[in-house]
Amino acid sequence: MSDKAKLIALIMGSQSDWDTMRHAARVLNELEISFEPLIISAHRTPDRLVQFATGAKAKGFKVVIAGAGGAAHLPGMTAAFTTLPVLGVPVESKALSGQDSLYSIVQMPGGIPVGTLAIGKAGAINAALLAASILSLSDNALDQRLTAWRAAQTDAVALSPRDES
Amino acid sequence: MSDKAKLIALIMGSQSDWDTMRHAARVLNELEISFEPLIISAHRTPDRLVQFATGAKAKGFKVVIAGAGGAAHLPGMTAAFTTLPVLGVPVESKALSGQDSLYSIVQMPGGIPVGTLAIGKAGAINAALLAASILSLSDNALDQRLTAWRAAQTDAVALSPRDES
Amino acid sequence: MSDKAKLIALIMGSQSDWDTMRHAARVLNELEISFEPLIISAHRTPDRLVQFATGAKAKGFKVVIAGAGGAAHLPGMTAAFTTLPVLGVPVESKALSGQDSLYSIVQMPGGIPVGTLAIGKAGAINAALLAASILSLSDNALDQRLTAWRAAQTDAVALSPRDES
Amino acid sequence: MSDKAKLIALIMGSQSDWDTMRHAARVLNELEISFEPLIISAHRTPDRLVQFATGAKAKGFKVVIAGAGGAAHLPGMTAAFTTLPVLGVPVESKALSGQDSLYSIVQMPGGIPVGTLAIGKAGAINAALLAASILSLSDNALDQRLTAWRAAQTDAVALSPRDES
Amino acid sequence: MSDKAKLIALIMGSQSDWDTMRHAARVLNELEISFEPLIISAHRTPDRLVQFATGAKAKGFKVVIAGAGGAAHLPGMTAAFTTLPVLGVPVESKALSGQDSLYSIVQMPGGIPVGTLAIGKAGAINAALLAASILSLSDNALDQRLTAWRAAQTDAVALSPRDES
Amino acid sequence: MSDKAKLIALIMGSQSDWDTMRHAARVLNELEISFEPLIISAHRTPDRLVQFATGAKAKGFKVVIAGAGGAAHLPGMTAAFTTLPVLGVPVESKALSGQDSLYSIVQMPGGIPVGTLAIGKAGAINAALLAASILSLSDNALDQRLTAWRAAQTDAVALSPRDES
Amino acid sequence: MSDKAKLIALIMGSQSDWDTMRHAARVLNELEISFEPLIISAHRTPDRLVQFATGAKAKGFKVVIAGAGGAAHLPGMTAAFTTLPVLGVPVESKALSGQDSLYSIVQMPGGIPVGTLAIGKAGAINAALLAASILSLSDNALDQRLTAWRAAQTDAVALSPRDES
Amino acid sequence: MSDKAKLIALIMGSQSDWDTMRHAARVLNELEISFEPLIISAHRTPDRLVQFATGAKAKGFKVVIAGAGGAAHLPGMTAAFTTLPVLGVPVESKALSGQDSLYSIVQMPGGIPVGTLAIGKAGAINAALLAASILSLSDNALDQRLTAWRAAQTDAVALSPRDES
């Protein structure tokens, strides 16, 4: 990627979340949207969280995508420190299958929003697509790439199921 | 509001959802963001849904806020027909307290995103705020109003609890 | 199968649902009920959905069986566009084991019905059997085949359990 | 209603379920479909259940609508004794809000189908509508009444929400 | 076992439940309590269910242990036809991990009791032990065997954990 | 009641559980089964629990009915100290509607059984009925009273629902 | 209370949480433990949170009791900034009855602990008692007060239930 | 470890819980906190439980860490018999993934507290850390070791995710 400020901060609570969040990275790459992947643990590196979230706007980020699991506080706490749009991805947890992650991210009190996507891989893909939608509002070229991406997705759906061989 | 195209489409599945969604309307008004409230039932008025969703971009809407309850298909189906950002508000349902609404909105498959907010009133408020965040990316005046709104919210938090009298 | 119009439309949201829905296909075959298996994604191919659902009655279908997972909007949206009986099969999802699929299908608002079966394979089998029950109301030969199928099922239940060898 | 055999058996586990199931009765009346409301408790009157279910077809019923709450065995056990289409309505229970009713009705094993509707009033309405869809397959006049009912429902949806006064 | 009437009917909904219910059989054997294992499907063999349940008392059974999964109607329907004590074992189901089985068995309406044990293997073991407790009330020798069984269980608990090697 | 040893110990965790457990008392009275109602809090009066549970058999109790809510340890801990049959009633809790009570009572590990009934009033009624079933095994007069009680219950079910006036 | 540093920081996310957390305050008062009640919203006043949590130890607090509802990040984020013991109270939320609060507080990742109590009033009481237990380890007088408090609680449990009059 | 009284009692309901609880043991070892691991089954060895819990304070233990699964009564019953701080770890159960363990431990009634940690391994680690926090209040050297442990944990978080190779 270029030297320019990245558009998307793609943050996650730990290395283990990367297995999920790399799907967001892949889609951002396909749509040619610059991003910076970062590990920021709300609990183990709270200072890093504060520093990142308070400075994200000044650094030029336009959207934050945040993935976390269990008592997932990263998206909500980031949103508490910035007015940038924050999109949350509940990472599937071991015991509770991501239901704890989902509740911890989506049930924000009125006043601090986190746009929450589905649990796991689908949510990571969709966080990238929603970020693209947002950026497309002021970027016609991206809007066209997104529209083409969506059209290609539509075209890829077969008319009838086939038995696996 | 002025004659100009409204920025936000504030759609909901039924009149009964208005009790929740009017909180989004209130916050949009406070932030001086134009919007158009519409009842669109994915199930009872599917043609209206298709017409709205396929035409929303051309009509000048920038963000769609969609509230629905139970088997809440309105946000996801709207997202299927447009590349505009769609924000979903799970309206609290009678038997399952909005857990059905939440799952129906947030668990979208990879490919079609809906940014989901909390169940009920908090979600409606936050959908408005997230829409404001998105529009602020290319509207400095709104960005300042949003920042002021958030600061006022912070200032309104008392330092210690008081007994109700 | 013959050239005649198929009786059952067996639709599903993606190729991956076929692993579940082929059990419906198998039972329909056993009962000699004609059907057409189709992939229709409510989210990725919404136009295909509208086209199918609005035209299903004219094409001669009598019953629609629709399987989908996660935020499963296919059965309900199909029902929104047709007065044909629609039977929904919640496909087991990864994180939430099909509880999201179930809620998204069964919790339809009053006005648009979807007859919902069990999550997964059992639901697919039963969707075929319920479709057979419905068609049997005006098809004596099918009624006899269904009665025989049910009797054979009863006879196949052993009197006492045996240890696996 | 006339002397003719009723088309629908509208059964329920107890008098207290009538508060829910009368919504099915109302819709059946609106669609001019004859029905017979009966209390049959799978647990307190099991002989009545067996007698009803084994004889329902011979009595001329075409569809059974069965509502029950808690460990709701009435729909499934009825389906075990007949090949008529059985539609189940999970009645909202006190402690678990109908989640127990829903699971007890919808999670039938492969082999014996129950078409399950939503918990509570919406499910009762939809059971009547699904029964109407089924009967419409061989009754053109009913098909027209159902189509008209659905169109009226669509027309009744206002374009925009109004504040309650 | 001897020619005498068996004390316990150990019934289950299908062959696949035997993998769980054989743990009840093992404990009954250890406690020298006679039993008869039977497959009775409430849904696929409802006549067998009626015949068994109405005749269980006359055949000399003292307690019925019934295991079933999903929409598990076997224990409750058996209890509907007999005044013998019925103990229910929720067999772990695929999608919902036995939560559906548990609700379907334990949430019986007032009037017809089923004594419900834990989901899966632990429940099967405990159904046998509870049956032994019941029979012990009028069988001193069994009471002593049960007391000894329990004491041996207590003695088998090590004082401190050991690392697996 | 007479001077004789009571047959049933009807224990509960607190005064507030009596509102539920008095339904068990009522049914025991109807069936002329002697019982002693006691408040025993597993957590606030653990010594009372140990003393009761270790001495229950010697005091002549035949069955223990134990009701508790939330982290409901009373039934399971009683069962740990006695080989008498213990029947557990999950009392409906405030926040989690008795789901916590249910899990805490029914999910006992293999080795120590608690026969669990439904959440709340229905469970209390059924605990009394199951205790009656157990005692009936060696008490013909009670068996007849129980059979009559059940028959009266069956007879009391009306044939068709009536509108409330 | 005296001029000395307070021992307990009793923090909560909003004024509305006081209705729950005042039960902790009452018990702390009964045990003569000094405390300071503060409103700190993790989301609306994140700077206040950081300032409080990083300075709590230096200010002389020994234990933090933190109550919050919904996506309850206050206890976990406080724990991220301090090594003081943090006790979390899940406040009952509207739609999800505190299940979201509970998951958001208890499911902390390995590395940052929050000792979580029950949802609602019981949890608030117990947070105060657990704090007392902790402080008692190095305060004999408090240990005696706590022991007396617990003994009085035990003595207050009646032996048998009474009907409300 | 030395001859001195151990500071922590690390108790668990069965050998199988050791796979989870050994993570607590590892962290206690890293922090040089003495502990004694013990198997105490609330249900299979209730006398051992009473003996341990009533004597724990006199034996010199300062904190009890208790892990158990399913109907997990060990932490709460221990807390009933002692005023020492009791920390509970819900061990992941087979069918319900530890949700039953969590509810059985955390939902204690007001009056007897258990500080509950996360389900499984994370909870075991955090129980050790919370115990360390508690002991640190009167042990400066431990406080420094804990602070260093936490700092090392923070330092170990990489800045950006890496692809697994």
Side-chain angles (χ1 to χ4, degrees):
Chain A
M1 279 166 216
S2 78
D3 246 32
K4 289 191 309 182
K6 301 296 191 289
L7 291 171
I8 309 278
L10 181 61
I11 67 177
M12 63 210 79
S14 72
Q15 168 66 34
S16 66
D17 298 328
W18 180 236
D19 194 46
T20 299
M21 300 309 291
R22 65 190 172 81
H23 296 286
R26 173 175 53 79
V27 174
L28 291 173
N29 277 328
E30 291 171 11
L31 291 167
E32 299 171 38
I33 300 172
S34 63
F35 65 94
E36 187 167 348
L38 294 166
I39 297 179
I40 298 176
S41 166
H43 300 124
R44 291 176 296 147
T45 65
D47 294 324
R48 196 186 292 180
L49 164 67
V50 175
Q51 197 171 10
F52 164 78
T54 55
K57 207 169 182 172
K59 276 191 89 169
F61 290 120
K62 299 302 183 197
V63 177
V64 180
I65 296 175
H73 300 176
L74 182 62
M77 289 311 299
T78 300
F81 283 108
T82 185
T83 56
L84 288 179
V86 176
L87 309 181
V89 178
V91 172
E92 194 173 335
S93 55
K94 185 176 177 300
L96 297 177
S97 303
Q99 196 168 19
D100 44 1
S101 323
L102 173 59
Y103 284 172
S104 297
I105 293 175
V106 81
Q107 284 294 82
M108 290 292 288
I112 305 293
V114 172
T116 307
L117 291 306
I119 298 170
K121 178 183 169 183
I125 291 169
N126 283 348
L129 289 171
L130 183 52
S133 286
I134 291 168
L135 296 175
S136 291
L137 292 175
S138 54
D139 181 342
N140 280 332
L142 175 56
D143 189 35
Q144 289 175 15
R145 291 198 300 277
L146 176 60
T147 301
W149 194 97
R150 287 273 297 263
Q153 175 178 250
T154 298
D155 293 345
V157 180
L159 285 170
S160 54
R162 66 182 184 279
D163 291 305
E164 312 294 341
S165 61
Chain B
M1 277 166 220
S2 78
D3 247 31
K4 291 191 307 183
K6 301 297 191 290
L7 291 172
I8 309 278
L10 181 61
I11 66 176
M12 63 209 79
S14 72
Q15 168 66 32
S16 65
D17 297 328
W18 180 237
D19 194 47
T20 299
M21 300 310 290
R22 66 189 170 82
H23 295 285
R26 173 175 52 80
V27 174
L28 291 172
N29 277 328
E30 290 172 11
L31 292 167
E32 298 171 38
I33 300 172
S34 64
F35 66 93
E36 186 167 349
L38 295 167
I39 298 180
I40 299 175
S41 167
H43 300 123
R44 291 175 296 147
T45 64
D47 293 325
R48 196 186 294 180
L49 164 67
V50 175
Q51 195 170 12
F52 164 78
T54 54
K57 207 169 183 173
K59 275 191 90 170
F61 291 120
K62 299 302 182 195
V63 177
V64 180
I65 296 176
H73 300 177
L74 180 63
M77 288 311 299
T78 301
F81 283 109
T82 184
T83 57
L84 287 178
V86 176
L87 308 182
V89 179
V91 172
E92 195 173 335
S93 54
K94 185 174 178 301
L96 297 177
S97 302
Q99 196 166 18
D100 45 1
S101 324
L102 173 58
Y103 284 172
S104 297
I105 293 175
V106 81
Q107 285 293 85
M108 291 290 289
I112 306 292
V114 172
T116 307
L117 290 308
I119 299 169
K121 177 183 170 184
I125 291 169
N126 283 347
L129 290 171
L130 184 52
S133 286
I134 291 168
L135 296 175
S136 291
L137 292 175
S138 55
D139 181 340
N140 279 332
L142 175 56
D143 189 34
Q144 289 176 14
R145 290 197 302 275
L146 175 60
T147 301
W149 194 98
R150 287 274 297 262
Q153 174 177 250
T154 298
D155 293 345
V157 180
L159 284 170
S160 53
R162 64 180 186 282
D163 292 306
E164 312 294 342
S165 60
Chain C
M1 278 165 217
S2 77
D3 246 32
K4 290 191 308 182
K6 301 297 190 291
L7 292 171
I8 309 277
L10 181 62
I11 67 176
M12 64 209 79
S14 71
Q15 168 66 33
S16 65
D17 297 329
W18 181 235
D19 195 45
T20 299
M21 300 309 291
R22 65 189 171 81
H23 295 286
R26 173 175 52 79
V27 173
L28 291 172
N29 277 328
E30 290 171 12
L31 291 167
E32 299 171 38
I33 300 172
S34 63
F35 65 94
E36 186 167 350
L38 294 166
I39 297 180
I40 298 175
S41 167
H43 300 124
R44 292 175 295 148
T45 65
D47 293 325
R48 196 187 293 180
L49 165 67
V50 175
Q51 197 170 11
F52 164 78
T54 55
K57 206 169 184 172
K59 275 190 88 170
F61 291 120
K62 300 300 183 197
V63 177
V64 179
I65 296 175
H73 300 176
L74 180 62
M77 289 311 300
T78 300
F81 284 108
T82 184
T83 57
L84 287 179
V86 176
L87 308 182
V89 179
V91 172
E92 195 173 335
S93 55
K94 184 174 177 302
L96 296 177
S97 303
Q99 196 167 19
D100 44 0
S101 324
L102 173 58
Y103 284 172
S104 298
I105 293 175
V106 81
Q107 284 294 84
M108 291 291 288
I112 306 293
V114 172
T116 308
L117 291 306
I119 299 170
K121 177 183 169 183
I125 291 170
N126 283 348
L129 290 171
L130 184 52
S133 286
I134 291 168
L135 297 175
S136 292
L137 293 174
S138 55
D139 181 341
N140 280 332
L142 175 57
D143 189 34
Q144 289 176 13
R145 290 198 301 276
L146 176 60
T147 300
W149 194 98
R150 287 275 297 263
Q153 175 178 248
T154 298
D155 293 345
V157 180
L159 285 170
S160 53
R162 64 179 187 282
D163 291 306
E164 312 295 341
S165 60
Chain D
M1 277 165 218
S2 76
D3 246 32
K4 289 191 310 182
K6 303 296 191 289
L7 291 172
I8 308 279
L10 181 62
I11 66 176
M12 63 209 79
S14 73
Q15 168 66 33
S16 65
D17 297 328
W18 180 236
D19 195 46
T20 299
M21 301 309 291
R22 65 189 171 81
H23 295 286
R26 173 176 52 80
V27 174
L28 291 172
N29 277 328
E30 290 171 12
L31 292 167
E32 299 172 38
I33 300 172
S34 64
F35 65 93
E36 186 168 348
L38 295 167
I39 297 180
I40 298 176
S41 166
H43 300 124
R44 291 176 295 148
T45 64
D47 293 324
R48 196 186 293 180
L49 164 67
V50 175
Q51 196 170 11
F52 164 78
T54 54
K57 207 169 182 172
K59 275 191 89 169
F61 291 119
K62 299 302 182 196
V63 177
V64 180
I65 296 176
H73 300 177
L74 180 63
M77 289 310 299
T78 301
F81 283 109
T82 184
T83 56
L84 287 178
V86 176
L87 309 182
V89 179
V91 172
E92 195 174 334
S93 54
K94 185 175 178 299
L96 297 177
S97 302
Q99 196 167 19
D100 44 0
S101 323
L102 173 59
Y103 285 172
S104 297
I105 293 175
V106 81
Q107 285 293 83
M108 290 292 289
I112 306 293
V114 172
T116 307
L117 290 307
I119 299 170
K121 177 183 169 183
I125 291 169
N126 283 347
L129 290 171
L130 184 52
S133 287
I134 291 169
L135 296 175
S136 292
L137 293 175
S138 55
D139 181 341
N140 280 332
L142 175 58
D143 189 34
Q144 289 176 14
R145 290 198 301 276
L146 176 60
T147 300
W149 194 98
R150 287 274 298 263
Q153 174 178 250
T154 297
D155 293 345
V157 180
L159 284 170
S160 53
R162 66 181 183 280
D163 291 306
E164 312 294 342
S165 61
Chain E
M1 278 165 216
S2 77
D3 246 32
K4 292 191 307 182
K6 301 297 192 288
L7 292 171
I8 309 279
L10 181 62
I11 67 176
M12 64 209 79
S14 72
Q15 167 66 33
S16 65
D17 297 327
W18 180 236
D19 194 46
T20 299
M21 300 310 290
R22 66 189 170 81
H23 295 285
R26 172 175 53 80
V27 173
L28 291 173
N29 277 329
E30 290 172 12
L31 292 167
E32 300 172 36
I33 299 172
S34 63
F35 66 94
E36 186 167 349
L38 294 166
I39 297 180
I40 298 175
S41 166
H43 301 124
R44 292 174 295 146
T45 64
D47 293 325
R48 195 187 293 181
L49 164 67
V50 175
Q51 196 172 11
F52 164 78
T54 55
K57 207 169 183 173
K59 276 191 88 170
F61 290 121
K62 299 301 183 197
V63 177
V64 179
I65 296 175
H73 300 177
L74 180 63
M77 289 310 299
T78 301
F81 283 109
T82 184
T83 57
L84 287 178
V86 176
L87 308 181
V89 179
V91 172
E92 195 173 333
S93 55
K94 185 173 178 301
L96 296 177
S97 302
Q99 196 167 18
D100 44 0
S101 323
L102 174 58
Y103 284 171
S104 298
I105 293 176
V106 81
Q107 285 293 85
M108 291 290 290
I112 305 293
V114 171
T116 307
L117 292 305
I119 299 169
K121 177 184 169 183
I125 291 170
N126 283 347
L129 290 171
L130 184 52
S133 287
I134 292 169
L135 296 176
S136 292
L137 293 175
S138 55
D139 180 341
N140 280 332
L142 175 57
D143 189 34
Q144 289 177 15
R145 290 198 302 275
L146 176 60
T147 300
W149 194 98
R150 288 274 297 262
Q153 175 178 248
T154 298
D155 293 345
V157 180
L159 285 170
S160 54
R162 63 179 188 283
D163 291 306
E164 313 294 342
S165 61
Chain F
M1 278 166 216
S2 77
D3 245 33
K4 290 192 308 182
K6 303 295 192 290
L7 291 171
I8 308 279
L10 181 62
I11 67 176
M12 63 209 79
S14 71
Q15 168 66 33
S16 65
D17 297 328
W18 180 236
D19 194 46
T20 299
M21 301 309 291
R22 65 189 172 82
H23 295 287
R26 174 176 53 79
V27 173
L28 292 172
N29 278 328
E30 291 171 10
L31 292 166
E32 299 172 37
I33 300 172
S34 64
F35 65 94
E36 187 168 347
L38 295 166
I39 297 180
I40 298 176
S41 166
H43 300 124
R44 291 175 296 147
T45 65
D47 293 325
R48 195 186 292 179
L49 164 67
V50 175
Q51 197 171 10
F52 164 78
T54 55
K57 207 169 183 173
K59 276 191 90 169
F61 290 120
K62 298 303 183 198
V63 176
V64 179
I65 296 176
H73 300 176
L74 181 63
M77 289 310 299
T78 300
F81 283 109
T82 185
T83 57
L84 288 178
V86 176
L87 308 182
V89 179
V91 172
E92 194 173 334
S93 55
K94 185 175 177 300
L96 297 177
S97 302
Q99 196 167 20
D100 43 359
S101 322
L102 173 58
Y103 285 172
S104 298
I105 293 175
V106 80
Q107 285 295 81
M108 291 291 289
I112 306 292
V114 172
T116 306
L117 291 306
I119 298 170
K121 176 183 170 183
I125 291 169
N126 283 347
L129 290 171
L130 184 52
S133 287
I134 291 169
L135 296 175
S136 292
L137 294 175
S138 54
D139 181 342
N140 280 332
L142 174 58
D143 189 35
Q144 289 175 15
R145 292 197 301 276
L146 176 61
T147 300
W149 193 98
R150 288 273 298 261
Q153 174 178 250
T154 298
D155 292 346
V157 180
L159 284 170
S160 55
R162 66 183 184 280
D163 290 306
E164 312 294 342
S165 61
Chain G
M1 278 165 216
S2 78
D3 246 32
K4 291 191 306 182
K6 302 296 192 290
L7 291 172
I8 309 279
L10 181 61
I11 67 176
M12 64 210 78
S14 71
Q15 168 66 33
S16 65
D17 297 328
W18 180 236
D19 194 47
T20 299
M21 301 310 290
R22 66 190 170 81
H23 295 286
R26 173 175 53 78
V27 173
L28 291 173
N29 277 329
E30 290 171 10
L31 292 167
E32 300 172 37
I33 299 172
S34 63
F35 66 93
E36 187 168 347
L38 295 166
I39 297 180
I40 298 175
S41 167
H43 300 124
R44 291 176 295 147
T45 64
D47 293 324
R48 195 186 293 179
L49 164 67
V50 175
Q51 196 171 11
F52 164 77
T54 55
K57 207 169 184 173
K59 275 191 90 170
F61 290 121
K62 299 301 183 197
V63 177
V64 180
I65 296 176
H73 299 177
L74 181 63
M77 288 311 299
T78 301
F81 283 109
T82 184
T83 57
L84 287 178
V86 176
L87 309 182
V89 179
V91 172
E92 195 173 333
S93 54
K94 185 174 177 301
L96 297 176
S97 302
Q99 196 166 20
D100 44 0
S101 323
L102 173 58
Y103 285 171
S104 297
I105 293 176
V106 81
Q107 284 295 83
M108 291 289 290
I112 305 293
V114 172
T116 307
L117 290 308
I119 298 169
K121 176 184 170 183
I125 291 169
N126 283 347
L129 290 171
L130 184 51
S133 287
I134 291 169
L135 296 176
S136 291
L137 293 176
S138 55
D139 181 340
N140 280 332
L142 175 56
D143 189 34
Q144 289 176 15
R145 290 196 302 276
L146 175 61
T147 301
W149 193 100
R150 287 274 296 262
Q153 175 178 250
T154 298
D155 292 346
V157 180
L159 285 170
S160 54
R162 65 182 185 280
D163 291 306
E164 312 294 341
S165 60
Chain H
M1 280 166 215
S2 77
D3 246 32
K4 291 191 308 180
K6 301 297 192 288
L7 292 171
I8 309 279
L10 181 61
I11 67 176
M12 63 209 79
S14 72
Q15 167 66 33
S16 65
D17 297 328
W18 180 236
D19 194 46
T20 298
M21 300 310 290
R22 65 189 171 80
H23 295 287
R26 173 174 54 79
V27 173
L28 291 172
N29 277 328
E30 290 172 11
L31 291 167
E32 300 173 37
I33 299 172
S34 63
F35 65 95
E36 187 168 347
L38 294 166
I39 298 179
I40 298 176
S41 166
H43 301 124
R44 291 175 297 146
T45 65
D47 293 325
R48 196 186 291 180
L49 164 67
V50 175
Q51 197 172 10
F52 164 78
T54 55
K57 207 169 183 173
K59 275 191 90 169
F61 290 120
K62 299 301 183 197
V63 177
V64 180
I65 296 174
H73 300 177
L74 181 62
M77 289 311 299
T78 300
F81 283 108
T82 184
T83 57
L84 288 179
V86 176
L87 308 181
V89 179
V91 172
E92 194 174 334
S93 55
K94 186 175 177 301
L96 297 176
S97 303
Q99 196 167 18
D100 44 1
S101 323
L102 174 58
Y103 284 171
S104 297
I105 293 176
V106 81
Q107 285 295 82
M108 291 292 288
I112 305 293
V114 172
T116 307
L117 291 306
I119 298 170
K121 177 183 169 182
I125 291 169
N126 282 347
L129 290 171
L130 184 52
S133 287
I134 291 169
L135 296 175
S136 292
L137 292 176
S138 55
D139 181 341
N140 280 332
L142 175 57
D143 189 35
Q144 290 176 15
R145 291 198 301 276
L146 176 61
T147 300
W149 194 98
R150 287 273 297 261
Q153 175 178 249
T154 298
D155 293 345
V157 180
L159 284 169
S160 54
R162 66 181 185 281
D163 291 305
E164 312 294 341
S165 61

